[in-house]
C-alpha cells in the first residue's frame, strides 16, 4: 500500500491529563475543513473486542499484571484495531486519528514498567511492520500539572493511573526521547499552556506538517 494512496494516520500521545481529548477535536476539525473523511479511534480499544481488553487493562479490580502480560494485552487490542478499523480506513483513502498507539506501549510498558524498548520493537515488527503514524502529536505536560488536572475528575484513577509518580516521570522521559529520535514524525506540543494556546499550536503544527 503506498503512502500516497492511503489515508493519513495521525496519533495523539501524552501523559495523564495532557489534554488529548481537546487535541483530538482540533485535529478532526482541521482535517475535515481540509475536505478529508476522518475516523477516530483509541487504544487500547477501537473495536468491541479491544474495548473488552481495555476494561481488563484499566479496571482496578484486575489487580496487578505482569508488565509483559500488560504489554501483550495492549498489542492484542492493537491487532484488533488495526485489522478492523485502522487498515481498512486507510486503505479507503480516509484518515485515522488515534488516541494513543504503539508509542504509548513504548512509553508506559517500555519506560514506565521498565521493560525497555526491545519487546515493543519486536511486537511492532510482528504486528505492523509496514505501518507507522504519518504524524504523532506528543502533548507534553509536567507530571504534576497533568495529575492536578485529572484529580478534578469525579471517577477514581484507573489501574494504570494508580502507578506512582516515578512511573509517570519515566513515561514522560520515554516519550520525549522518542520525539527527539524521530523529529520528522513527532511534533511536541507544550500542553501546559492555556487551552487556546495549545489549540493554536496544534493547528500550526498541522498547517506545517500536513499541508
Ligand atoms: N496505555 C498503555 O499503558 N500502553 C499502551 O500501549 C496504550 C495505553 C495504548 C488509557 O489511555 C491508559 O492506557 C493510559 C495509557 C495506557 N494510562 N492511563 N491511565 P487513555 O488515553 O484512554 O487515558 P488517559 O491517558 O488516562 O487519558 P486522560 O488522562 O483523560 O488524558 P487526556 O485525554 O490527555 O486528558 P483530557 O481528558 O483531555 O484532559 C484532562 C483534564 O485536563 C480535563 O479536565 C481537561 O479539561 C483539562 N485540560 C486539558 N488541557 C488543559 C489545558 N491546556 N489547561 C487546563 N486544563 C486542561
Amino acid at each position: 500500500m503506498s503512502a500516497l494512496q492511503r489515508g493519513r494516520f495521525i496519533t495523539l500521545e501524552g501523559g495523564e491529563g495532557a489534554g488529548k481529548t481537546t487535541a483530538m477535536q482540533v485535529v478532526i476539525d482541521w482535517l475535515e475543513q481540509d475536505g478529508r473523511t476522518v475516523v477516530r479511534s483509541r487504544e487500547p480499544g477501537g473495536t468491541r473486542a479491544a474495548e473488552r481488553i481495555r476494561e481488563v487493562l484499566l479496571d482496578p479490580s484486575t489487580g496487578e499484571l505482569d508488565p509483559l502480560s500488560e504489554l501483550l494485552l495492549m498489542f492484542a487490542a492493537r491487532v484488533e484495531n488495526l485489522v478492523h478499523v485502522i487498515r481498512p480506513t486507510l486503505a479507503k483513502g480516509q484518515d485515522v486519528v488515534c488516541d494513543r498507539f504503539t508509542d504509548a506501549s513504548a512509553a508506559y510498558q517500555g519506560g514506565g514498567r521498565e521493560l525497555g524498548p526491545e519487546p515493543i520493537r519486536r511486537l511492532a515488527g510482528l504486528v505492523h511492520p509496514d505501518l507507522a503514524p504519518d504524524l504523532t502529536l506528543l502533548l507534553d505536560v509536567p507530571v504534576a500539572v497533568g495529575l492536578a488536572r485529572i484529580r478534578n475528575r469525579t471517577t477514581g484513577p484507573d489501574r494504570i493511573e494508580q502507578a506512582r509518580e516515578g512511573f509517570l516521570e519515566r513515561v514522560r522521559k520515554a516519550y520525549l526521547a522518542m520525539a527527539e529520535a524521530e523529529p520528522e514524525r513527532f511534533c511536541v506540543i507544550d500542553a501546559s499552556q492555556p487551552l487556546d494556546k495549545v489549540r493554536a499550536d496544534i493547528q500550526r503544527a498541522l498547517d506545517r506538517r500536513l499541508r
Side-chain angles (χ1 to χ4, degrees):
M1 195 187 300
S2 102
L4 286 176
Q5 291 165 327
R6 71 159 171 83
R8 283 175 297 197
F9 182 30
I10 297 158
T11 56
L12 302 172
E13 299 284 355
E16 313 308 292
K20 289 181 287 92
T21 310
T22 310
M24 170 68 82
Q25 203 48 56
V26 176
V27 176
I28 290 174
D29 290 348
W30 189 96
L31 290 168
E32 287 181 346
Q33 274 162 25
D34 201 35
R36 310 287 307 171
T37 302
V38 186
V39 170
R40 67 190 286 169
S41 191
R42 68 169 181 181
E43 293 208 347
T47 73
R48 196 182 301 179
E51 292 289 333
R52 298 284 296 275
I53 298 172
R54 180 186 177 93
E55 281 168 32
V56 172
L57 278 161
L58 299 189
D59 188 341
S61 74
T62 297
E64 209 170 300
L65 279 175
D66 184 89
L68 187 57
S69 309
E70 191 173 275
L71 178 66
L72 292 171
L73 286 169
M74 293 292 176
F75 267 91
R78 184 157 301 133
V79 171
E80 293 303 309
N81 197 22
L82 277 162
V83 168
H84 297 292
V85 180
I86 298 175
R87 287 187 190 281
T89 304
L90 295 176
K92 279 191 278 187
Q94 299 175 352
D95 295 343
V96 175
V97 186
C98 196
D99 185 343
R100 300 193 186 279
F101 190 60
T102 294
D103 296 318
S105 301
Y108 281 80
Q109 283 67 51
R113 302 280 194 224
E114 299 182 284
L115 283 175
E118 192 51 24
I120 291 87
R121 200 189 58 75
R122 288 170 69 177
L123 287 165
L126 179 71
V127 168
H128 56 88
D130 54 336
L131 181 69
D134 299 301
L135 174 66
T136 298
L137 295 176
L138 171 58
L139 295 152
D140 178 54
V141 69
V143 170
V145 175
L147 283 179
R149 287 180 187 165
I150 62 173
R151 244 175 240 130
N152 299 330
R153 274 193 202 138
T154 45
T155 52
D158 67 39
R159 198 186 60 84
I160 294 176
E161 282 169 353
Q162 287 176 338
R164 282 177 295 276
E165 218 155 300
F167 170 88
L168 295 175
E169 293 291 357
R170 290 195 296 278
V171 168
R172 184 178 185 216
K173 199 169 151 206
Y175 267 135
L176 290 172
M178 286 187 274
E180 204 180 322
E182 272 189 87
E184 63 296 336
R185 174 165 72 85
F186 275 90
C187 183
V188 182
I189 304 288
D190 176 0
S192 65
Q193 306 176 95
L195 266 177
D196 55 338
K197 290 238 164 57
V198 174
R199 262 192 218 104
D201 280 3
I202 293 172
Q203 281 159 347
R204 252 195 307 276
L206 296 170
D207 288 341
R208 219 176 40 239
R209 301 286 186 110
L210 297 185
R211 280 225 203 273

